[in-house]
């Protein structure tokens, strides 16, 4: 059965020539078929990477515990409302050991946060060595909503692109691999999602009327994304635009890119704090019951 | 098929008359059978609570997001090395929405932490309203290892029992339900686990020679647990001693007690920020594509 591969996922990396209008949110590049057939291929792809992803993340986390520094990974999730950021977070938690994940969600800045530079609150949430950080929204909000809603002046926004690029360069130098994903949905798909939130009482809490304001400025947001990506996409801190009308597809892409990054980190198990063979003899010789 | 119920799990609550020697770590109170039969009953029990647990936690988290205060839950996991605390954490993450969980692991206090009162680092990690906190080890280490290894004087330890009881009373008054679990394993089971860690190179990192020192003082630790439980078990902040040689059983008990607590919180969905019906009409009337 054909499955989605790391190579397929990496093809979604975009650069300075990104044009969102050229990327169909309803497509599933690398995987053919639709309906049940597509679902099965997605399931199979997910199954195929499960063990390796778990193994590599455990190696990363083991180094964290051992106090060595194997580097870290930071996954940045961005996208319009209802694009599936929360679901992607859930899927990552299911695929990995939660103890090795550091999740941070960024909402509207608090008053205290507004008193500081926009990167202040972000720096506080960076993953420690050996950890995988996930940002559900991020410092990119400061050049997306703040640009579209004109919360910051054009000069300030302009400076922020430079600041973000330098910040991420600094992270790369410190050994943090930053992987940035835009979960790209169609307005039709968003409308369906918004209606669902309003139709089901148990989904009302997810509904925010300001989502409609953002939707009315769809084109402005798409443009803000394009510029942000153009100004900050590098091979060291790459951007991926992931067609996300199919949520399982989008979640899988994020995990495949993560797998690729972990593979390239050449992660070894940290050495045992003692000579394992000698220690094994010692432990085997212990009484089964220490009270004996 | 007989399954483990909330009532079964609640019977594991212990009080001032706790005697660990009377509780068989290899038993599975409430569930009969062994081997495959037992495994199936455990799976069935887990399946039975899955939907309700997810639903109630989502209600709790929805209130967090809506900024109302439905209270919070704090799950404290304690146990000897290899008792399955990490596995219990993983199972909780799989059963719940990770965004609604706040996990904190407490190792040896850092130098900065040692400069403060022992509850200082714990207070910083308390769950916000609407969140479920999980402590992998906790402030109880300060009356367990610190008592057995005589790191603190008997007078200081004595004072700490009182401090902990008051701290937890304060939490209860603020709406945080504290649920404390001792994952109770047998020394035979621990020995098997330690040998496994030393035999598999990918498990070496989990091995800590100091675990053996603790094992040699098994009786002292059991006694320290008994005293800590006796001094801090209340109906408001209960202690459960969970037989944990069967890890699936132990994980299930933790989730059943959590389910009971969530049920008793009478969680409602927060009201929609707008009139849902009117808003639904508005959204349905929006163009499918905002560019139209």
């Amino acid at each position: 059965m054909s499955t989605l591969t790391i190579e397929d996922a990496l093809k979604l990396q975009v650069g300075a020539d990104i044009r969102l209008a050229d990327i169909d949110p309803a497509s599933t590049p690398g995987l053919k078929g639709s309906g049940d057939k597509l679902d099965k291929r997605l399931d199979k792809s997910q199954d195929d990477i499960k063990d390796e992803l778990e193994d590599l993340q455990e190696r990363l986390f083991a180094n964290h515990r051992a106090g060595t520094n194997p580097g870290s990974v930071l996954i940045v999730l961005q996208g319009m409302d209802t694009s599936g950021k929360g679901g992607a977070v859930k899927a990552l938690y299911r695929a990995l050991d939660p103890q090795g994940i550091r999740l941070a969600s960024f909402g509207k800045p608090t008053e205290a946060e507004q008193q500081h530079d926009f990167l202040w609150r972000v720096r506080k949430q960076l993953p420690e060595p050996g950890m995988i950080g996930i940002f559900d929204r991020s410092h990119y909000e400061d050049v997306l909503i703040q640009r579209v809603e004109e919360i910051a002046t054009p000069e300030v926004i302009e400076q922020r692109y430079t600041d973000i690029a330098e910040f991420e360069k600094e992270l790369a130098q410190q050994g943090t691999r930053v992987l940035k994903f835009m979960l790209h949905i169609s307005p039709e798909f968003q409308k369906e999602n918004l209606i669902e939130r309003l139709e089901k009482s148990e989904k009302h809490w997810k509904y925010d009327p300001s989502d409609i304001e953002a939707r009315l400025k769809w084109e402005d947001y798409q443009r803000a994304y394009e510029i942000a990506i153009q100004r900050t996409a590098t091979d060291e801190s790459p951007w991926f635009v992931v067609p996300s009308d199919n949520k399982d597809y989008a979640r899988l892409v994020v995990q495949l890119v993560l797998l690729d990054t972990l593979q390239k980190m050449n992660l070894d198990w940290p050495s045992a704090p003692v000579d394992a063979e000698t220690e094994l003899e010692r432990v085997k010789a212990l009484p089964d019951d220490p009270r004996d």
Side-chain angles (χ1 to χ4, degrees), chain A residues 23-26 80-82 184-196 215 218 222 244-245:
Chain A
I23 302 170
D24 178 4
M80 298 294 284
D81 300 303
T82 83
H184 183 43
I185 57 169
S186 66
E188 294 81 4
F189 181 67
Q190 190 194 47
K191 187 173 169 185
E192 285 168 29
N193 290 330
L194 290 173
I195 288 175
E196 198 194 349
R215 180 184 167 83
W218 191 274
Q222 301 289 300
S244 298
D245 281 8

Side-chain angles (χ1 to χ4, degrees), chain A residues 2 17 25 27 55 62 65 67 76 88 91 98 105 112 142 148 160 163 172 200 202 227 275 278-279 283 291:
Chain A
S2 79
D17 57 347
S27 66
D55 176 76
R65 273 290 168 86
V76 173
S105 303
D142 298 282
V148 173
R160 284 182 185 167
D163 292 345
K200 300 186 179 167
E202 75 274 18
I227 298 169
D275 177 63
T278 318
E279 195 71 6
V283 171
R291 288 162 290 194

Side-chain angles (χ1 to χ4, degrees), chain A residues 70-90:
Chain A
S72 59
V73 181
L74 176 60
I75 295 171
V76 173
L77 299 173
Q78 287 286 161
M80 298 294 284
D81 300 303
T82 83
S83 61
K85 298 182 289 294
V89 169
K90 245 188 204 180

Side-chain angles (χ1 to χ4, degrees), chain A residues 95-239:
Chain A
L96 307 168
D97 183 344
Q99 297 179 88
I101 300 178
R102 175 163 183 164
L103 171 66
S105 303
F106 296 95
K108 194 167 173 263
T110 62
E111 266 187 51
E113 286 168 352
Q114 285 176 31
Q115 313 269 316
H116 293 85
D117 175 75
F118 76 107
L119 292 172
W120 179 75
R121 64 176 184 161
V122 173
R123 286 183 188 273
K124 291 200 294 180
Q125 303 279 6
L126 290 170
E128 297 87 356
M131 297 287 283
I132 293 178
I134 305 176
F135 282 1
D136 178 358
R137 301 187 188 270
S138 66
H139 44 294
Y140 283 96
E141 292 297 317
D142 298 282
V143 292
L144 292 168
I145 185 172
Q146 298 231 346
R147 177 189 172 99
V148 173
E149 296 296 341
E150 298 177 1
I151 299 168
T153 64
E155 294 71 30
V156 168
I157 298 286
E158 190 56 34
Q159 181 58 43
R160 284 182 185 167
Y161 296 124
T162 312
D163 292 345
I164 290 176
E166 284 186 8
F167 170 58
E168 293 181 357
K169 199 171 166 188
E170 175 194 322
L171 290 181
Q173 281 163 353
Q174 290 166 6
T176 301
R177 284 144 189 90
V178 185
L179 306 171
K180 299 170 285 189
F181 299 90
M182 181 207 177
L183 304 184
H184 183 43
I185 57 169
S186 66
E188 294 81 4
F189 181 67
Q190 190 194 47
K191 187 173 169 185
E192 285 168 29
N193 290 330
L194 290 173
I195 288 175
E196 198 194 349
R197 285 185 180 178
L198 285 164
E199 278 178 343
K200 300 186 179 167
S201 62
E202 75 274 18
K203 294 213 170 194
H204 282 172
W205 67 277
K206 292 189 177 185
Y207 183 81
D208 182 343
S210 73
D211 294 356
I212 303 294
E213 309 316 315
R215 180 184 167 83
L216 294 172
K217 295 176 179 165
W218 191 274
E219 287 279 29
D220 296 338
Y221 272 100
Q222 301 289 300
R223 185 79 195 113
Y225 267 104
E226 281 179 347
I227 298 169
I229 293 171
Q230 286 162 0
R231 297 288 301 268
T232 61
T234 64
D235 279 335
E236 268 179 336
S237 302
W239 264 108

